Amino acid sequence: MDTRTVKKKLGLKDRYAAMTRGLSWETTYQPHDAVFPMDRYEGIKIHDWDAFSDPFRLTVDAYWKYQGEKEKKLYAVIDAFAQTNGQLGVSDVRYLNALKLFIQGVTPLEYYAHRGFSHLGRQFSGDGLRVACQFQSADELRHFQTETHAISHYNKYFNGMHSANHWFDNVWYLSVPKSYFEDALTAGPFEFLTAVSFSFEYVLTNLLFVPFMSGAAHNGDLSTVTFGFSAQSDESRHMTLGIECIKFMLEQDPANLPIVQRWIDKWFWRGYRLMTLVAMMQDYMLPKRVMSWKEAWELYAESAGTALFDDLARFGIKKPMGWEVACEGKDHISHQAWNTFYGYGGAAAFHTWVPGADEMDWLQKKYPDTFLKYYRPRLEHYAERAAQGKRFYNTTLPMLCTTCQIPMLFTEPGNPRWICYRESEHEGETYHFCSDGCKTIFEHEPQKYIQSWLPVHQILQGHCFKPDVDPTVPGFDPLAAVLDYYQMNIGRDNFDIEGSQDARNFADWGAGQNPAEGQL
Ligand code: FE
Ligand code: ZN
């Protein structure tokens, strides 16, 4: 009898190669460039697509098996959370507003990332990169779904979450994240990778996920912690894709260097501006604080970023434009952003407040050079006015930066008492910017940014009223008409946390006692 020979199993790397490479074919009845028109027009030169080493090293069957297991556990936690009324265990009703900002402004970005990577999965002519982009596209769709499912539980009990997608498309502060991703989605495929995989996922994502997820844990929000960790385990693959792509472009041809540097400059600055919302969330919207924005910036950007750019120096890459200004901003941006949201608390779909005295003490300790000097007196002034029944609301429309779409709220580098304005002329029109960074980005691609959908301009042009609205009637209240168009429930979704329906319900339910805490 013959001895049965067992075929030697392929190693992980060979198995991956067998399953994912060689899937491509040469075109026959159409020229190759006509089938893949997109990966050349940005000027990036690739000589050897096989040199790209895919950090995912995943086969489709392994991907679905692994993610399916992960998702099963996640939904079990979300289920348990719902059945035990987990929402009652969060630290403080104010915490919910951080979640509102997350579902309004971050979750839709997952869907944009899904679309973007799916597009890239079609457009690159190298099959290794195509496969990696397709996996990430599936990841991002899963993130959108798990976040939506996790937060939909809160939507049953709290205001400010019911129309998140409509708000993302219309509301002023949400055009900041929206425009970031639309700028990336409408760029070429290599720029999209630099914007999303490198600048967002590799350089800045820890600033979003790590403090926010530990913030969720500190504030008793197990549901968010669970989807956060589930997404974070994909994030490490996404980050690797980001760095691999940058290295791949730089190794392929020296002519790629100036193009890549310009993209890194642009997308670092756009990403940094976008992080303003996170900075504010971290310092003002987490009732139990984990670390300050400044500490997070020092840890995840300054020290990790410096090491990263030191490493990339061997390719000729320099630290991105605006790095020093961003590092100076760590002392200011969260305070300046919260001040703006407090003032426009009537026009946002979450609640605002003045931090308590103990919270201001914390901020003062974390920001010894700036909080007492510039920001505490203003907050105390607001609190005083509110106590006299004269709560300050800003009812004028702010000027927006044409590039990042943030209201002009940032100050001059080196002069925190002076708002920073820049402008640029293009074809007889004047455009306004919050910073040198945003002005430089505009001036390189003015044809793109003159098309920006700026929420304030849209309001002033009459595009944010419902069709039956007549702005000429006497006593017309434009803000109320705009909020109606936004589908905000005035008095429920907006204004102060104090006296809100959310706060009253939370107290009536006896929530926020955090029973686990006494035992710690
Ligand atoms: Fe994601
Ligand atoms: Zn700007």
Side-chain angles (χ1 to χ4, degrees):
M1 208 164 86
D2 292 344
T3 317
R4 253 182 90 211
T5 53
V6 180
K7 231 183 167 181
K8 207 176 151 241
K9 254 186 140 179
L10 291 174
L12 199 65
K13 203 174 165 190
D14 293 335
R15 188 174 130 84
Y16 167 76
M19 302 277 279
T20 59
R21 296 295 169 100
L23 295 176
S24 234
W25 58 86
E26 268 316 307
T27 57
T28 50
Y29 56 89
Q30 286 287 334
H32 181 94
D33 286 356
V35 178
F36 296 100
M38 288 211 167
D39 65 5
R40 273 158 214 249
Y41 81 91
E42 297 169 285
I44 293 290
K45 294 187 175 73
I46 302 296
H47 304 289
D48 176 14
W49 275 104
D50 283 335
F52 173 75
S53 87
D54 166 17
F56 285 39
R57 293 269 163 80
L58 276 171
T59 54
V60 172
D61 65 332
Y63 178 84
W64 291 115
K65 216 184 283 171
Y66 177 63
Q67 302 301 340
E69 281 302 314
K70 229 170 64 178
E71 232 82 306
K72 243 187 257 166
K73 287 177 194 145
L74 170 65
Y75 282 100
V77 173
I78 292 175
D79 248 12
F81 188 81
Q83 291 188 18
T84 57
N85 286 312
Q87 76 281 0
L88 302 180
V90 302
S91 61
D92 181 315
V93 68
R94 292 176 305 166
Y95 170 74
L96 274 312
N97 296 283
L99 267 192
K100 294 176 193 180
L101 193 51
F102 197 89
I103 189 74
Q104 294 167 9
V106 179
T107 302
L109 300 184
E110 306 276 16
Y111 195 76
Y112 270 5
H114 153 66
R115 285 175 56 191
F117 280 104
S118 154
H119 178 58
L120 266 51
R122 161 64 182 83
Q123 292 298 345
F124 281 123
S125 47
D127 40 347
L129 193 48
R130 276 220 302 278
V131 169
C133 288
Q134 275 166 7
F135 280 127
Q136 183 157 352
S137 176
D139 282 340
E140 304 297 2
L141 184 58
R142 288 177 28 249
H143 294 176
F144 178 81
Q145 290 171 338
T146 54
E147 289 170 21
T148 303
H149 285 143
I151 294 178
S152 68
H153 174 70
Y154 289 100
N155 179 43
K156 295 180 201 158
Y157 300 97
F158 299 100
N159 295 314
M161 301 182 185
H162 53 83
S163 301
N165 287 327
H166 179 75
W167 294 333
F168 183 69
D169 286 337
N170 291 281
V171 174
W172 57 282
Y173 56 93
L174 298 170
S175 84
V176 175
K178 182 182 165 81
S179 75
Y180 179 101
F181 257 80
E182 289 189 344
D183 191 351
L185 280 166
T186 51
F190 282 111
E191 186 179 347
F192 180 89
L193 276 183
T194 311
V196 177
S197 295
F198 181 72
S199 301
F200 195 75
E201 305 266 16
Y202 195 84
V203 186
L204 298 169
T205 200
N206 279 334
L207 281 165
L208 172 65
F209 267 89
V210 177
F212 188 63
M213 293 314 146
S214 348
H218 271 63
N219 288 280
D221 179 7
L222 190 63
S223 170
T224 299
V225 172
T226 314
F227 81 63
F229 283 131
S230 167
Q232 194 70 19
S233 70
D234 300 321
E235 225 58 48
S236 51
R237 279 185 284 116
H238 301 173
M239 289 174 72
T240 318
L241 179 60
I243 190 73
E244 286 301 326
C245 286
I246 290 291
K247 289 181 177 167
F248 178 60
M249 286 188 276
L250 294 170
E251 275 162 359
Q252 284 290 311
D253 199 299
N256 293 340
L257 173 64
I259 305 174
V260 173
Q261 179 74 55
R262 184 184 284 283
W263 287 339
I264 291 179
D265 290 350
K266 168 181 168 179
W267 290 100
F268 168 75
W269 186 258
R270 289 224 61 185
Y272 165 66
R273 275 295 186 243
L274 175 56
M275 288 293 144
T276 304
L277 290 169
V278 181
M280 167 184 99
M281 203 156 84
Q282 210 174 322
D283 281 344
Y284 285 86
M285 300 175 79
L286 296 177
K288 294 210 163 151
R289 288 162 168 79
V290 184
M291 57 163 77
S292 64
W293 167 255
K294 182 183 177 176
E295 289 167 318
W297 180 262
E298 285 167 353
L299 182 64
Y300 298 115
E302 283 178 21
S303 66
T306 301
L308 166 68
F309 286 103
D310 283 352
D311 179 44
L312 290 175
R314 69 193 148 103
F315 297 105
I317 288 289
K318 296 193 194 71
K319 263 196 181 141
M321 164 191 86
W323 180 268
E324 286 76 21
V325 178
C327 291
E328 192 204 312
K330 73 186 173 192
D331 266 314
H332 301 283
I333 61 169
S334 65
H335 315 297
Q336 296 175 348
W338 186 247
N339 177 58
T340 303
F341 275 92
Y342 182 83
Y344 285 104
F350 59 85
H351 299 298
T352 50
W353 55 88
V354 173
D358 53 330
E359 293 172 314
M360 290 206 245
D361 291 344
W362 186 89
L363 289 166
Q364 198 167 318
K365 211 171 82 205
K366 297 293 180 183
Y367 294 92
D369 301 330
T370 53
F371 186 70
L372 182 60
K373 194 165 171 197
Y374 301 110
Y375 304 113
R376 186 164 188 155
R378 187 160 62 188
L379 290 167
E380 285 171 344
H381 174 69
Y382 288 153
E384 235 167 76
R385 280 187 58 123
Q388 294 161 10
K390 293 188 284 186
R391 202 287 195 194
F392 168 70
Y393 282 110
N394 200 333
T395 52
T396 60
L397 293 176
M399 180 188 273
L400 302 180
C401 172
T402 302
T403 304
C404 71
Q405 310 207 1
I406 299 179
M408 300 289 179
L409 61 90
F410 301 106
T411 49
E412 274 298 337
N415 185 1
R417 294 207 195 276
W418 198 260
I419 294 283
C420 183
Y421 290 98
R422 297 290 181 271
E423 51 180 67
S424 186
E425 283 258 328
H426 181 74
E427 290 177 353
E429 293 272 350
T430 306
Y431 295 87
H432 303 275
F433 307 96
C434 71
S435 56
D436 291 323
C438 283
K439 176 178 149 87
T440 307
I441 293 168
F442 173 89
E443 286 175 349
H444 186 62
E445 293 172 279
Q447 308 85 340
K448 184 171 199 177
Y449 295 103
I450 60 172
Q451 303 172 62
S452 296
W453 195 93
L454 297 170
V456 169
H457 291 198
Q458 296 300 318
I459 292 172
L460 291 171
Q461 287 169 34
H463 296 154
C464 299
F465 300 137
K466 283 184 172 166
D468 54 338
V469 163
D470 177 8
T472 60
V473 296
F476 177 69
D477 179 350
L479 182 63
V482 169
L483 295 182
D484 186 39
Y485 172 82
Y486 281 174
Q487 299 178 12
M488 275 187 210
N489 292 324
I490 299 179
R492 288 217 297 272
D493 294 328
N494 60 350
F495 300 136
D496 272 336
I497 187 74
E498 207 186 318
S500 66
Q501 190 179 46
D502 274 5
R504 276 182 279 125
N505 285 342
F506 201 72
D508 288 349
W509 297 330
Q513 310 300 329
N514 211 352
E517 203 177 57
Q519 297 157 23
L520 291 175

